[in-house]
Amino acid sequence: MKNIAVDFTDVESRELLPEGEYAVEVVEIEQREGTKGPYLNWELKVVVGQFKGRKLWNVTSLAQQSLWVLRAHLAALGVATPQGKFVLNPDALKGLKMGVKVGHKVFDGKTRAKVEDAFPLNELKEMPEIVTEAEEAEEDE
């Protein structure tokens, strides 16, 4: 067999994102169908700090009893939600930023990073320098 040239420049590693709070940006949101019903699969990217550029995935169920989690995410992104019916355009959320608290959860025998909470970016009070960096990055765009 011949040697194969491979370029790993800018290829992410599969390292576990440490527990903590992060400023993240919405990269993509896809609606998917799970065994328990439909859900949204969120691809998020850390926007500042030591782990800038690292990806994080999150799931929010579309089941009626779990919609409070989706509402919390939307509020963290600055999206107003009514008390009644609402049409969500996932593409409109791309590029929006929020703060997330990340914990660890064991799934299928592997430890994974899990979003435990979502909140407005300006509530990252434990790390004011990250809030400032994220706001400056937003202004530069």
Side-chain angles (χ1 to χ4, degrees), residues 6-47:
V6 180
D7 182 358
F8 286 113
T9 305
D10 297 325
V11 174
E12 297 177 29
S13 64
R14 197 161 165 107
E15 296 173 38
L16 183 63
L17 189 64
E19 292 181 319
E21 292 185 349
Y22 297 91
V24 298
E25 175 181 329
V26 176
V27 175
E28 186 75 44
I29 301 174
E30 294 179 346
Q31 182 174 345
R32 295 184 179 174
E33 196 65 38
T35 56
K36 296 180 182 179
Y39 65 93
L40 297 179
N41 189 59
W42 298 65
E43 180 181 339
L44 306 170
K45 177 176 67 174
V46 177
V47 292

Side-chain angles (χ1 to χ4, degrees), residues 9-128:
T9 305
D10 297 325
V11 174
E12 297 177 29
S13 64
R14 197 161 165 107
E15 296 173 38
L16 183 63
L17 189 64
E19 292 181 319
E21 292 185 349
Y22 297 91
V24 298
E25 175 181 329
V26 176
V27 175
E28 186 75 44
I29 301 174
E30 294 179 346
Q31 182 174 345
R32 295 184 179 174
E33 196 65 38
T35 56
K36 296 180 182 179
Y39 65 93
L40 297 179
N41 189 59
W42 298 65
E43 180 181 339
L44 306 170
K45 177 176 67 174
V46 177
V47 292
V48 293
Q50 176 184 355
F51 299 100
K52 180 178 180 178
R54 292 277 296 275
K55 298 276 179 85
L56 178 66
W57 284 265
N58 188 37
V59 170
T60 52
S61 172
L62 294 174
Q64 187 67 34
Q65 68 272 18
S66 300
L67 287 177
W68 64 272
V69 178
L70 175 59
R71 177 175 267 167
H73 279 57
L74 295 174
L77 293 167
V79 177
T81 56
Q83 285 299 325
K85 293 182 179 183
F86 177 72
V87 176
L88 176 65
N89 177 358
D91 289 337
L93 303 178
K94 289 180 186 178
L96 296 181
K97 295 174 180 69
M98 65 181 164
V100 294
K101 178 181 178 189
V102 172
H104 289 164
K105 177 181 178 182
V106 177
F107 182 74
D108 284 342
K110 295 182 182 179
T111 303
R112 305 269 189 217
K114 178 179 180 356
V115 173
E116 295 179 341
D117 193 18
F119 48 88
L121 196 57
N122 64 1
E123 290 183 15
L124 275 170
K125 293 178 183 161
E126 290 82 22
M127 300 181 289

